[in-house]
Amino acid sequence: MMDNLRTAANSPVLKIVLGVIMVSFVLTGVGGYLISGSANDAAEVNGQPISRAQLQQAFQQERQTMQERLGDRFSEVASNEQTMNQLRRQALENLINVSLFNQYANKLGLSASDAQIKQSIFEMPIFQVDGQFNSDRYRAVLAQYNINADNLAQQIGQDLVREQLGNTFSGTEFALPSEVKAYAELIMQKRDIRSATLSLADMQKKQTVTEQELQDYYHSNQSSFLSPEKVKVSYIKLDAANMSSDVKITDEEIKTYYEQNLKNFTQPQQQQYSMIQVATPEEAAEIESALKQGADFATLASEKSTDKFSAANKGVIGWMEATSTPSEIIDANLTEKGQFSAPIKSTAGYIIFRLDDIKPEVIKPLDQVKSQIETTLRQDSEIKQFYDLQQKVSDAATNDNESLISAEEAAGIKKVTTDWFDRNNPPQELNFNKVIAEIFSDRLVDANGTTGLNSDVINVEGDRAFVIRVDEYKPEAVQPFDSVKQEITDLVKRQKAEVALQAESTKLLAALKDGKGEAALTEAGVHFDASKTVTRLEQQNPIVDTAFSMPEPQEDKPTFASARDSLGNVVIIQLDKVIAGQPEDQDLQGFAQQYKALMSAAMQETLMINLRDNAKVEVLNLE
């Protein structure tokens, strides 16, 4: 049952769209409707609050992004309190910037019309069936994700306004050919370098530590050795894909749906138009006179129109429905094929429109769409069955909080019990942000341990849901010294090795710059590798980045610098030669677009700096 629902729910496109909706809600304030009042505010931007709920959701999004990027290394980073505080601050900074951007757009009077908002919603794949907007699907998705229709419309409107503001920075920059050429030469530049590596691992092996040093480090950095809070849970998983389907759709139901949703199966009347655009009213009057005397519209459009796109198509601008027809054409009131308008003034000059052809409204017959309607009704019915089951299980879990027995009976599914886990390493089946957040929420665990309550039904990805009960709980605690002694030993040795390595690299660089490098390299037991050419266009790393920040060699004398590689080794870099880029003509067009994009980004960054400088931003609570 519900294979289509699962396919849709796991679709990358659907997840991206949902992600955009949910993240946008966090960034633009819809979450703030849930909690109000200064006690619940994380910050104020020119008097406009950013709620703690918004900050928490934005922080979780940043955290999830970091987890996906770091993979297995995430637990190590997540245990660092300073890093998590920095991540929370970053999330708040993003919220502040978006708030300032919205405020500035509103100050400029930018707005989105109801028609634009409606069209944007219609074009979202998540609300479509067979490529067409489906009102039933729209309502089902909003209900499924508990999204208010008015809030969604408001959010889409804000997105469109921000897009308008962003467009003011793109497509308007003028780049001189000399600027583009200089930019291309810089990007295509090559550099010949050699490198010598001082091994951190080798230096670490030479280090010794005392018991007192280890104890001192342990007591000074206990927050780094916290054992995270852990739980054992029992849960019931509801999976739409495992439900048996006995839905029967009758011909009468199909007919009723067809009649009630006839507009969804109707192709509205369409008109095809052509146009001739000129700069002055005198030119427009001459063309109108020629048309009245029988001149060929297509020929005049090709020869006279200043609109190059339509002129290349003999004036034809395409088929349009009434809802998508520009107001200038509507005002022309063309009703018969071949009829043309008087000259109409526009921002681009003067335009004469002609109605070329008319396609009458077409209603698809029931037989043609019967299968489509049956599929829709079946999916809707199956979705309803799934949500009815969720409600039934929710009622059972709420009414009997002593155990999951009643919920098991309502679901017809036995509970699953886990071993110990923390929030960063949950069982794969429970690895959803909403589920983990609920497990470690104040509702299910508190300072005294488990609360003895069942969770409500937690719906994830549209086709799965969980009811959770925390059976046992271990609070966060500092790990005993003996259990982390080896880890501390490695950390202290690494710190000492990094200091020693930095001192040695500083000594080597000084010797190289004084022309005494060979002896110093021999004494250090390292040597330069063979020369290699690096470019800005290859995958970047600290070595390449440093090479391109070094001053150019003068009088054939190399320059030197050092960098840390990904393993913590110190790499001494010798820059021998700088080779200027040689862009071809075909390269310059692509670089021109890159250069304009950079200029656009720089303008937006300058605007944001200006907005921040002139804003009253008050951080109230980062927790």
Side-chain angles (χ1 to χ4, degrees):
M1 174 182 176
M2 302 186 76
D3 289 337
N4 291 329
L5 175 59
R6 166 154 285 183
T7 300
N10 290 319
S11 162
V13 172
L14 183 146
K15 289 182 178 179
I16 290 171
V17 172
L18 277 180
V20 168
I21 293 174
M22 299 307 175
V23 172
S24 295
F25 272 30
V26 171
L27 295 181
T28 55
V30 174
Y33 295 145
L34 304 178
I35 301 174
S36 61
S38 59
N40 292 310
D41 292 340
E44 284 188 356
V45 182
N46 294 326
Q48 178 179 323
I50 295 174
S51 73
R52 292 170 62 189
Q54 287 173 261
L55 174 57
Q56 182 60 22
Q57 292 179 65
F59 168 68
Q60 291 298 336
Q61 182 68 26
E62 294 281 359
R63 197 174 186 278
Q64 178 68 21
T65 300
M66 177 182 283
Q67 184 172 4
E68 292 172 355
R69 186 175 71 250
L70 297 180
D72 294 339
R73 294 174 50 226
F74 175 73
S75 58
E76 176 184 346
V77 175
S79 65
N80 187 305
E81 183 178 355
Q82 182 178 359
T83 301
M84 290 297 102
N85 287 338
Q86 290 175 347
L87 196 65
R88 186 178 295 275
R89 165 63 74 170
Q90 176 182 317
L92 181 59
E93 289 297 313
N94 291 340
L95 289 172
I96 291 170
N97 288 345
V98 170
S99 180
L100 287 170
F101 211 63
N102 286 338
Q103 291 176 18
Y104 184 66
N106 292 335
K107 184 177 180 181
L108 293 179
L110 301 179
S111 62
S113 68
D114 290 344
Q116 289 174 308
I117 294 171
K118 179 179 178 182
Q119 186 61 33
S120 293
I121 294 175
F122 278 14
E123 291 174 356
M124 286 186 171
I126 192 175
F127 299 137
Q128 295 179 352
V129 174
D130 296 331
Q132 297 292 323
F133 176 81
N134 184 282
S135 57
D136 290 337
R137 173 70 61 204
Y138 168 76
R139 287 190 293 271
V141 170
L142 294 193
Q144 177 181 333
Y145 292 95
N146 195 28
I147 300 173
N148 179 277
D150 290 338
N151 290 348
L152 175 62
Q154 179 188 17
Q155 168 54 39
I156 297 299
Q158 290 174 334
D159 288 345
L160 290 172
V161 167
R162 285 201 304 276
E163 183 179 348
Q164 290 177 41
L165 181 56
N167 288 340
T168 64
F169 298 104
S170 61
T172 59
E173 296 76 20
F174 178 74
L176 293 171
S178 59
E179 293 177 330
V180 174
K181 188 171 186 294
Y183 171 72
E185 289 174 347
L186 180 65
I187 296 300
M188 297 182 70
Q189 186 187 95
K190 299 178 181 179
R191 297 195 168 200
D192 290 344
I193 65 169
R194 295 193 295 161
S195 61
T197 301
L198 303 177
S199 170
L200 176 63
D202 291 345
M203 184 64 75
Q204 189 168 335
K205 292 176 183 177
K206 299 176 184 178
Q207 307 306 310
T208 59
V209 294
T210 66
E211 185 73 13
Q212 187 61 49
E213 286 177 317
L214 299 181
Q215 289 283 355
D216 290 345
Y217 187 93
Y218 174 73
H219 291 297
S220 299
N221 297 275
Q222 289 201 344
S223 62
S224 299
F225 304 110
L226 291 175
S227 175
E229 56 183 345
K230 295 183 178 181
V231 293
K232 283 184 178 181
V233 307
S234 296
Y235 66 91
I236 297 170
K237 175 185 176 184
L238 306 177
D239 192 333
N242 294 334
M243 295 178 64
S244 59
S245 176
D246 55 358
V247 176
K248 304 296 183 184
I249 306 299
T250 66
D251 288 344
E252 186 61 32
E253 288 175 315
I254 293 173
K255 181 181 178 182
T256 299
Y257 183 92
Y258 175 77
E259 292 173 348
Q260 292 177 348
N261 296 272
L262 202 57
K263 63 180 182 299
N264 294 336
F265 309 108
T266 301
Q267 174 63 59
Q269 177 177 293
Q270 294 180 311
Q271 293 85 25
Q272 185 186 62
Y273 295 96
S274 294
M275 64 176 275
I276 302 173
Q277 176 180 288
V278 291
T280 67
E282 292 78 15
E283 291 175 292
E286 289 180 10
I287 290 174
E288 181 184 22
S289 177
L291 290 171
K292 288 179 178 179
Q293 294 175 25
D296 181 61
F297 193 99
T299 300
L300 288 175
S302 299
E303 295 175 352
K304 304 290 187 180
S305 182
T306 58
D307 182 78
K308 301 304 181 185
F309 177 80
S310 60
N313 199 32
K314 298 182 179 181
V316 175
I317 55 178
W319 290 96
M320 303 179 189
E321 297 175 7
T323 55
S324 61
T325 303
S327 59
E328 293 89 347
I329 299 180
I330 294 174
D331 292 343
N333 196 29
L334 303 176
T335 58
E336 298 180 3
K337 290 192 289 185
Q339 182 182 1
F340 58 85
S341 71
I344 297 172
K345 191 177 188 310
S346 75
T347 56
Y350 292 83
I351 304 176
I352 296 174
F353 293 104
R354 183 182 71 174
L355 176 57
D356 300 332
D357 201 357
I358 300 173
K359 288 181 182 177
E361 177 183 275
V362 176
I363 301 176
K364 294 180 182 180
L366 176 58
D367 289 345
Q368 186 177 336
V369 296
K370 182 177 180 180
S371 176
Q372 172 188 335
I373 295 174
E374 183 176 5
T375 299
T376 298
L377 290 174
R378 186 180 306 281
Q379 289 179 346
D380 290 348
S381 180
E382 291 171 345
I383 290 171
K384 184 177 183 303
Q385 284 187 10
F386 185 52
Y387 291 140
D388 286 347
L389 176 62
Q390 289 185 40
Q391 186 60 54
K392 182 180 177 182
V393 173
S394 174
D395 292 341
T398 301
N399 294 332
D400 179 10
N401 256 312
E402 298 300 318
S403 70
L404 288 177
I405 293 176
S406 295
E408 285 180 299
E409 293 174 352
I413 300 170
K414 289 294 184 181
K415 70 179 182 183
V416 176
T417 300
T418 72
D419 200 350
W420 289 104
F421 67 88
D422 61 58
R423 68 171 67 236
N424 295 320
N425 297 283
Q428 184 61 37
E429 194 166 59
L430 297 178
N431 194 14
F432 298 96
N433 288 341
K434 289 171 64 176
V435 174
I436 301 306
E438 178 67 13
I439 288 173
F440 290 93
S441 70
D442 293 342
R443 173 175 165 75
L444 299 188
V445 294
D446 59 25
N448 298 318
T450 64
T451 61
L453 300 176
N454 299 327
S455 75
D456 198 355
V457 170
I458 310 164
N459 191 293
V460 296
E461 296 196 352
D463 65 341
R464 276 156 286 184
F466 297 86
V467 176
I468 307 287
R469 183 179 183 84
V470 177
D471 298 322
E472 297 183 64
Y473 174 74
K474 289 180 182 178
E476 182 181 75
V478 178
Q479 299 177 67
F481 173 77
D482 289 341
S483 68
V484 294
K485 183 176 181 179
Q486 185 57 53
E487 180 183 348
I488 296 173
T489 300
D490 293 339
L491 286 170
V492 174
K493 284 186 175 182
R494 182 184 176 98
Q495 287 183 349
K496 287 187 171 184
E498 287 173 343
V499 172
L501 212 58
Q502 187 61 47
E504 186 166 342
S505 67
T506 301
K507 177 182 175 182
L508 268 176
L509 279 175
L512 287 165
K513 292 174 181 177
D514 289 342
K516 304 174 183 178
E518 290 299 328
L521 288 168
T522 300
E523 182 181 349
V526 296
H527 63 277
F528 278 112
D529 296 335
S531 178
K532 66 177 181 178
T533 302
V534 295
T535 73
R536 296 180 192 272
L537 301 178
E538 64 186 67
Q539 184 174 0
Q540 297 299 290
N541 59 60
I543 311 306
V544 174
D545 292 343
T546 301
F548 278 96
S549 69
M550 295 169 64
E552 296 188 21
Q554 301 295 323
E555 300 178 355
D556 296 326
K557 292 183 178 180
T559 56
F560 301 92
S562 66
R564 292 267 184 179
D565 66 14
S566 60
L567 299 177
N569 303 315
V570 173
V571 180
I572 307 296
I573 304 167
Q574 175 176 310
L575 173 59
D576 295 319
K577 184 179 180 182
V578 174
I579 306 165
Q582 299 292 328
E584 301 290 341
D585 289 342
Q586 61 267 27
D587 298 324
L588 294 177
Q589 184 175 359
F591 279 114
Q593 296 303 317
Q594 290 182 23
Y595 185 73
K596 289 180 181 180
L598 285 173
M599 294 303 99
S600 172
M603 290 175 66
Q604 292 192 51
E605 183 176 355
T606 300
L607 170 64
M608 184 53 64
I609 292 172
N610 184 267
L611 292 176
R612 290 296 293 256
D613 287 345
N614 291 282
K616 181 180 179 182
V617 178
E618 184 177 2
V619 177
L620 304 173
N621 194 333
L622 272 174
E623 294 302 322

